[in-house]
């Protein structure tokens, strides 16, 4: 599943599978401007840290085309373009891949020297395509390393959606599951529904069912019982940001699943590429946590389920402390505690 993020050269537009409408409706959301990209990111037309990064990379290219149309590549186009890049970088605060992609675009700009705006736009399109392909390859490597951690017959729990839809393709957490299957193992999945946006029930179940991978949806508050009954042999989740000490910031509820896994002696794995690791942020408690619209909690679709005017907590993410994480699976291998050392070693070996 790699066709949910497509750049249309003829239309000069980015076409995204609108994940808000899944699983019942498959429609394309078309981005032609910076405003379109930001809207798609903020409303979760596209979501998942690596997919956000890929979208942001194409957004930089579209921003260049937009400024070219406005200025003809003359005058103070550089200032206008930098303003649009910052707007993209600030669209969502938690997923580190967003700003990472924009920084890569800026670095490529610096490396070009005195480049014209059309030349920069073309270079950024190639960069976005490279980031997209690299992400697919990284996810497949994560799958190979992570798949080896599970046994034939295991039932694996996951929280939120860290699959093909959350990446350029294949997936991180679901990449591990696909990797185990590619290694000839028969595994099945418990997909936590993941309130309030229901990424597990809507998206994880959608793509696993589409790939004929056995999946059962569970209410978030059934985790403890399922673990106590011996129905879960391992947990694997993705991450929107992993900090320098190995804390993992993922969809709200992940911390609770990790606590329950620890209580029941179940391994808890985090799967993410090195681009999701933010060595400039010391711990998970230092990461800005997005507080989203109350409507996602007070309504299911268009149906209101809460009393009007009652306050809502809708924090989108929570940090899972590193001591609850059995290992972090990356495209460079499986990292284990002490995480500061293993993370730095992985970056050094990757030449980053």
């Amino acid at each position: 599943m790699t066709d949910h993020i497509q750049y249309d050269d003829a239309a000069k537009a980015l076409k995204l599978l609108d994940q808000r409408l899944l699983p019942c409706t498959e429609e394309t959301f078309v981005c032609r401007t910076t405003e379109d990209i930001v809207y798609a990111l903020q409303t979760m037309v596209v979501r998942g840290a690596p997919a956000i990064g890929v979208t942001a990379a194409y957004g930089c290219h579209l921003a260049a085309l937009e400024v070219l149309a406005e200025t003809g590549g003359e005058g103070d186009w550089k200032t206008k373009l930098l303003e649009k890049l910052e707007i993209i970088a600030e669209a969502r605060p938690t997923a580190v891949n967003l700003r990472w992609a924009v920084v890569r675009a800026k670095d490529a700009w610096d490396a070009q020297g005195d480049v014209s705006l059309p030349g920069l736009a073309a270079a950024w399109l190639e960069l976005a395509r490279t980031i997209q392909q690299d992400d697919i390859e990284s996810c497949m490597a994560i799958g190979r390393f992570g798949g080896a951690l599970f046994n034939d017959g295991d039932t694996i729990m996951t929280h939120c959606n860290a699959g093909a839809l959350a990446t350029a393709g294949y997936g991180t957490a679901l990449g591990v599951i696909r990797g185990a299957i590619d290694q000839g193992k028969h595994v099945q999945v418990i997909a936590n529904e993941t309130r309030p946006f229901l990424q597990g029930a809507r998206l994880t179940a959608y793509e696993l069912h589409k790939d004929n991978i056995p999946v059962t949806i569970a209410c978030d508050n059934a985790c403890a019982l399922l673990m106590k009954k011996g129905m879960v042999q391992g947990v694997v989740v993705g991450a929107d940001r992993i900090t320098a000490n190995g804390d993992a910031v993922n969809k709200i509820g992940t911390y609770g699943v990790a606590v329950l896994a620890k209580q029941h002696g179940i391994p808890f794995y985090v799967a993410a590429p090195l681009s999701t690791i933010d060595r400039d942020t010391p711990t998970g408690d230092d990461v800005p946590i997005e507080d989203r619209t109350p409507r996602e909690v007070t309504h299911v679709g268009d149906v209101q389920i809460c009393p009007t005017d009652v306050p809502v907590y809708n924090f989108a993410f929570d940090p899972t402390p590193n001591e609850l994480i059995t290992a972090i699976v990356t495209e460079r291998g499986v990292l284990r505690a002490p995480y500061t050392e293993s993370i730095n070693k992985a970056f050094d070996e990757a030449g980053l």
Side-chain angles (χ1 to χ4, degrees), residues 21-310:
L21 307 178
L22 295 176
C24 299
T25 302
E26 296 183 4
E27 288 187 4
T28 298
F29 182 90
V30 180
C31 298
R32 292 186 173 88
T33 67
T34 301
E35 183 178 358
D36 293 339
I37 290 289
V38 170
Y39 179 85
L41 292 169
Q42 291 183 339
T43 63
M44 300 216 281
V45 169
V46 62
R47 24 68 52 208
I52 286 172
V54 172
T55 301
Y58 281 110
C60 293
H61 165 70
L62 292 177
L65 294 182
E66 194 175 6
V67 172
L68 182 60
E70 293 171 357
T71 67
E74 302 294 334
D76 194 17
W77 64 265
K78 294 181 180 180
T79 299
K80 293 180 182 295
L81 182 54
L82 286 171
E83 289 172 353
K84 290 185 183 297
L85 296 189
E86 190 59 24
I87 289 170
I88 293 171
E90 292 182 347
R92 295 191 67 188
T94 304
V96 72
N97 295 65
L98 176 54
R99 187 168 290 276
W100 168 84
V102 174
V103 168
R104 281 197 63 177
K106 288 181 178 178
D107 288 346
W109 185 358
D110 290 340
Q112 290 273 330
D114 190 20
V115 63
S116 68
L117 184 51
L120 183 60
W124 279 352
L125 179 57
E126 290 309 307
L127 174 63
R129 286 175 168 150
T130 297
I131 289 174
Q132 187 172 21
Q133 184 58 40
D134 286 351
D135 184 67
I136 295 171
E137 293 173 5
S138 291
C139 286
M140 295 186 76
I142 288 169
R144 289 191 295 272
F145 287 117
L149 299 171
F150 292 97
N151 299 314
D152 186 46
D154 279 353
T155 295
I156 305 167
M157 177 176 283
T158 190
H159 192 78
C160 194
N161 172 262
L165 291 169
T167 64
Y170 202 76
T172 52
L174 297 195
V176 168
I177 291 162
R178 290 186 171 97
I181 292 170
D182 290 344
Q183 292 165 18
K185 298 170 184 175
H186 297 86
V187 299
Q188 56 185 342
V189 179
I190 294 174
N192 294 343
E193 60 177 347
T194 323
R195 284 281 295 154
F197 209 68
L198 301 174
Q199 293 97 324
R202 295 190 305 107
L203 305 179
T204 293
Y206 164 83
E207 63 172 275
L208 291 180
H209 185 65
K210 201 167 188 175
D211 283 351
N212 296 312
I213 297 172
V215 57
T216 302
I217 298 167
C219 297
D220 290 352
N221 50 7
C223 292
L225 177 63
L226 296 175
M227 290 180 179
K228 185 177 181 181
K229 290 172 72 70
M231 297 171 66
V232 180
Q233 282 71 57
V235 178
V236 59
V237 300
D240 285 80
R241 188 183 309 209
I242 297 171
T243 55
N245 70 336
D247 292 350
V249 180
N250 193 50
K251 186 54 57 183
I252 191 73
T254 303
Y255 177 27
V257 176
V259 170
L260 291 170
K262 184 77 167 182
Q263 170 67 21
H264 292 90
I266 296 169
F268 182 93
Y269 300 108
V270 176
L274 293 185
S275 60
T276 300
I277 299 177
D278 176 13
R279 291 193 294 171
D280 293 329
T281 302
T283 75
D285 291 333
D286 300 308
V287 175
I289 301 298
E290 184 177 359
D291 190 359
R292 293 183 59 81
T293 171
R295 185 180 172 86
E296 292 175 354
V297 176
T298 62
H299 290 67
V300 177
D302 293 327
V303 178
Q304 183 171 330
I305 60 172
C306 299
T308 302
D309 297 329
V310 173

